[in-house]
Amino acid sequence: MTATTTRTGDGAPTGDGSAPSRAATSRKSPKPARGGAGSDAFVPGPTPTASASSPVTAAQARASQTPSPRAGQRETMTGAASIVRSLEAMGVDVVFGLPGGAILPTYDPLLDSPSVRHILVRHEQGSGHAAQGYASATGRVGVCIATSGPGATNLVTAIADAHMDSVPMVAITGQVGSGAIGTDAFQEADIVGITMPITKHNYLVTNPDDIPRVIAEAFHLAASGRPGPVLVDVTKDAQQATTTFSWPPTFDLDGYKPTTKPHARQVREAAKLIAAAQRPVLYVGGGVIRSGASDALAALVEVSNAPVVTTLMARGALPDSHPNNLGMPGMHGTVAAVTALQKSDLLICLGARFDDRVTGLLSSFAPGAAVIHADIDPAEISKNRRADVPIVGDARETISALVPALAAQHEAGKRADLSQWWRQLEQLRSTYPIGYDEPEDGSLSPQHVIERIGQRSGPDTIFTSGVGQHQMWAAQFIRYEKPGRWLNSGGLGTMGYAVPAAMGAQVGVPAATVWAIDGDGCFQMTNQELATCALNDIPIKVAVINNSSLGMVRQWQTLFYEGRYSNTDLHTGAAVEMGSRIPDFVKLAEAYGCVGLRCERPEDLDATIEAAMAVTDRPVVVDFVVHRDAMVWPMVTAGLSNDAIQYARGMTPVWDREESTNPETVRDDSAQDERTGDTDAPAGPDAAGGGR
């Protein structure tokens, strides 16, 4: 038998949770760069532990699964036992999976593992999202297992999600026997070919002797450089065959040497630009979270006094309470954050990727700004916006190098006066704060529900979310004071992410309170994992923001389709006229062995949240029946310029493009086209997809 290795790019992370460019996902060997794997033999180091109040950094956590030198012993065993022993040697403490015929040989020795806990999920997609949640909450590599054919293809969504958001994950799948490959055998699917564009790297293993090396490589690739998912597909005969297990394995990933240390000259050039800039903005992406660079970022903010915007994937990278934090930029970002980017003369982009949800119409984004772009993935730099100073390197190392370089500029008397810039930004921040109106009919405001959950849960709570309105409200109205407390599907926008991701986060950080903020649409995609949680004593809390609709799609239908609500009603009971609740989420929760609660009145909100918080021995589902017509504001319509941001429907701040003016003057666009009157721009839902 032979082993086949398929490589899909250099896998260096961008850090704000984005997919690499086409060049980075090609089948050619990765570009050589500084650092990375050599030809030494490896075994894992000690495994750190994480708590809600003092988690290990992502770098420390991933280092626990980076092999270190040690002599090994040779033992005769099956390939399946070799898989389990390799996972044990890598320090894996939990895997999420669902057995089937092609992976069954591995499940037998897994039963006897003294250190690897297996959590049986109810759907393979749930195992993938659980592995993501575990990885994002702990910084360690998450592991999921599935069988061949539909089991493997059910993992595809989670793998794509991890790829887009740079989550370190290893997916192990069974495959039909090597002799049956290509014959359309029962439950055969070319999962290596299917996942090639959405994995950092993948393998088809047909030789059991290759298993220790492949597993070690997979973990190294998933955790180093730009984190991402790695697929290991093992044929059934390779699992059943006898092999000699030896640890540590020797491997040499020729060409895979991600650059982590930034070039000193580029750092100095960046420091010069920052020191001279009159209107700088620190544009912070998820790479700062992934690299554990929050402390370094705080130091850079202290030295530079520059305003900071944190993307959807970077919420918590700088505390929301920090005076320099303007909030989230982008389609539903704060007016201050969006306008700061537009009016800046220098963008310091750290671990972000200039994605369309932040930039709006790219050609009009930050038209007067020079760009410093620091990223560990060279494929991201200048991909969407040309960088004047490109810096390839890990976010933590890059920011740590920028701090003394900028301080040296200041000591040399080179420091711009930012007082006028801050006066403009403070005026924006005070004039256009994030807010909401209470429904006139006395029903629950979804924003108020989410805000109160955040206030009563505390800064150490881990929040996950589905995708849509509730995701944006959770990003806007919960105050994130620490990194790693906000987990969501940012790049792919996967409905159904919240519950299994919360499950994985709770397993990874058992001392934490974990809330899944979910929509009634998203919740129905993966709520079967409540059974997994109940049976495995995983006490997550789920807040279903129930507006009886696919909320974000309904919002777009209101704004762009004249209120023609085509196929967005879910009949979950948020509107009286809909009659019975289908399903009744309280009864559903109880059927799954969870506590089910419902809140429909504002006066019951705090008591309901407290009742949910008091339950610590099983999962809790709270059906928050909210006003169905609430919308997410501010908003930049997809495909339009960020200059067209509306802080409420039809209300857009007016700015003099030559000089800063009083932003309290507003333009009423309600009589104009719903796309803010720009008849040359593409319609929102047709331009970039509606989102859910």
Side-chain angles (χ1 to χ4, degrees):
M1 289 179 286
T2 59
T4 301
T5 298
T6 303
R7 302 193 176 187
T8 61
D10 67 3
T14 73
D16 86 336
S18 62
S21 67
R22 291 293 182 187
T25 54
S26 67
R27 297 183 64 177
K28 63 184 180 180
S29 297
K31 297 178 181 179
R34 189 183 323 182
S39 58
D40 297 326
F42 296 101
V43 294
T47 300
T49 58
S51 68
S53 58
S54 181
V56 297
T57 67
Q60 289 171 331
R62 291 198 296 270
S64 73
Q65 291 168 303
T66 298
S68 56
R70 192 183 71 184
Q73 297 179 340
R74 299 175 65 84
E75 300 177 56
T76 300
M77 61 183 65
T78 65
S82 181
I83 292 173
V84 176
R85 287 292 299 275
S86 297
L87 293 176
E88 292 170 348
M90 290 307 305
V92 173
D93 58 354
V94 63
V95 298
F96 303 89
L98 188 69
I103 196 66
L104 202 57
T106 296
Y107 267 79
D108 186 64
L110 184 60
L111 185 66
D112 298 323
S113 176
S115 58
V116 180
R117 174 189 181 190
H118 179 273
I119 293 179
L120 175 63
V121 299
R122 295 311 185 261
H123 191 285
E124 290 90 353
Q125 182 181 348
S127 70
H129 292 321
Q132 286 184 272
Y134 175 92
S136 296
T138 66
R140 305 182 73 223
V141 177
V143 183
C144 54
I145 301 180
T147 193
S148 65
T153 58
N154 279 344
L155 280 178
V156 168
T157 295
I159 292 171
D161 198 293
H163 182 63
M164 290 284 277
D165 287 350
S166 301
V167 179
M169 184 172 84
V170 171
I172 300 173
T173 55
Q175 183 56 274
V176 300
S178 56
I181 291 177
T183 68
D184 292 332
F186 177 68
Q187 291 194 333
E188 180 191 358
D190 179 11
I191 195 62
V192 167
I194 290 168
T195 61
M196 187 175 294
I198 55 170
T199 50
K200 182 175 176 180
H201 196 86
N202 59 22
Y203 299 86
L204 172 61
V205 180
T206 60
N207 186 339
D209 296 342
D210 293 330
I211 288 172
R213 173 186 59 80
V214 167
I215 295 293
E217 286 184 8
F219 275 79
H220 178 72
L221 288 164
S224 60
R226 175 184 187 167
V230 177
L231 175 81
V232 179
D233 193 35
V234 189
T235 60
K236 189 170 184 177
D237 54 324
Q239 297 172 60
Q240 294 171 323
T242 299
T243 184
T244 301
F245 176 82
S246 177
W247 195 270
T250 298
F251 63 81
D252 183 4
L253 295 173
D254 183 35
Y256 179 74
K257 297 180 176 65
T259 300
T260 59
K261 185 177 180 180
H263 196 287
R265 183 179 64 184
Q266 298 301 92
V267 170
R268 289 193 299 271
E269 290 300 314
K272 290 178 183 178
L273 283 183
I274 297 171
Q278 300 288 325
R279 299 185 303 280
V281 177
L282 289 165
Y283 165 23
V284 175
V288 173
I289 300 284
R290 294 282 182 254
S291 66
S294 294
D295 290 344
L297 174 64
L300 180 60
V301 174
E302 182 70 22
V303 171
S304 67
N305 194 34
V308 180
V309 300
T310 54
T311 68
L312 179 66
M313 295 302 298
R315 304 290 289 116
L318 186 74
D320 279 344
S321 59
H322 195 289
N324 288 49
N325 194 338
L326 300 181
M328 184 175 69
M331 176 176 281
H332 294 294
T334 68
V335 172
V338 171
T339 308
L341 291 174
Q342 287 300 97
K343 302 294 288 184
S344 65
D345 63 1
L346 177 66
L347 298 182
I348 305 103
C349 179
L350 305 170
R353 61 185 175 93
F354 293 92
D355 68 283
D356 63 291
R357 286 309 200 230
V358 169
T359 66
L361 183 64
L362 185 61
S363 61
S364 68
F365 176 68
V371 172
I372 298 166
H373 193 174
D375 206 297
I376 199 166
D377 187 352
E380 291 296 342
I381 296 177
S382 294
K383 184 176 77 174
N384 294 327
R385 173 68 178 261
R386 189 185 70 83
D388 297 278
V389 179
I391 305 176
V392 178
D394 174 75
R396 186 179 184 86
E397 292 199 38
T398 299
I399 298 170
S400 296
L402 273 172
V403 171
L406 182 57
Q409 290 290 314
H410 292 170
E411 290 170 4
K414 300 174 182 178
R415 183 169 194 162
D417 181 5
L418 304 185
S419 57
Q420 176 61 27
W421 181 223
W422 270 113
R423 279 194 293 272
Q424 295 177 38
L425 297 177
E426 290 293 1
Q427 190 174 43
L428 274 172
R429 185 153 54 181
S430 62
T431 304
Y432 303 110
I434 290 285
Y436 56 90
D437 294 326
E438 293 287 353
E440 294 181 357
D441 62 2
S443 60
L444 271 176
S445 159
Q447 299 98 320
H448 187 204
V449 170
I450 293 170
E451 184 177 54
R452 289 302 288 161
I453 291 174
Q455 290 169 346
R456 301 190 78 83
S457 296
D460 289 320
T461 300
I462 296 174
F463 292 94
T464 69
S465 84
V467 171
Q469 288 181 315
H470 63 279
Q471 177 190 29
M472 294 297 101
W473 288 323
Q476 290 175 333
F477 292 104
I478 295 174
R479 304 278 287 179
Y480 298 100
E481 296 297 309
K482 298 178 181 181
R485 271 50 174 197
W486 166 243
L487 316 181
N488 80 120
S489 173
L492 196 63
T494 301
M495 294 180 70
Y497 172 90
V499 169
M503 176 173 70
Q506 186 78 80
V507 170
V509 191
T513 298
V514 180
W515 273 97
I517 308 296
D518 219 353
D520 46 327
C522 290
F523 179 64
Q524 294 186 76
M525 294 201 169
T526 52
N527 62 31
Q528 66 270 18
E529 301 309 333
L530 290 174
T532 308
C533 292
L535 290 170
N536 288 276
D537 300 318
I538 304 171
I540 66 170
K541 306 180 192 305
V542 182
V544 181
I545 309 303
N546 182 1
N547 62 3
S548 199
S549 300
L550 296 172
M552 188 63 84
V553 181
R554 179 183 170 88
Q555 176 170 333
W556 285 48
Q557 287 173 335
T558 299
L559 296 175
F560 308 120
Y561 293 94
E562 300 176 346
R564 289 168 52 83
Y565 300 118
S566 173
N567 294 286
T568 47
D569 289 341
L570 293 179
H571 299 270
T572 49
V576 175
E577 67 271 15
M578 310 214 78
S580 61
R581 310 173 194 271
I582 302 175
D584 185 317
F585 291 135
V586 172
K587 292 179 181 178
L588 181 68
E590 293 171 348
Y592 275 128
C594 308
V595 174
L597 304 171
R598 178 172 290 119
C599 181
E600 299 182 88
R601 303 186 306 169
E603 57 267 31
D604 298 330
L605 178 58
D606 283 359
T608 305
I609 295 172
E610 289 304 313
M613 294 287 292
V615 178
T616 59
D617 63 341
R618 70 194 70 182
V620 181
V621 176
V622 187
D623 181 15
F624 290 103
V625 182
V626 300
H627 187 68
R628 75 180 318 188
D629 290 322
M631 292 192 185
V632 182
W633 298 105
M635 179 176 178
V636 178
T637 300
L640 295 189
S641 169
N642 282 350
D643 290 333
I645 185 171
Q646 297 185 46
Y647 69 90
R649 189 174 183 182
M651 304 301 290
T652 303
V654 174
W655 280 89
D656 185 319
R657 299 307 175 209
E658 299 300 325
E659 298 178 4
S660 60
T661 60
N662 186 346
E664 294 187 28
T665 304
V666 298
R667 180 173 68 244
D668 184 350
D669 293 331
S670 59
Q672 297 184 13
D673 182 89
E674 290 291 3
R675 295 170 288 153
T676 72
D678 186 346
T679 56
D680 294 327
D686 297 327
R692 297 183 289 184

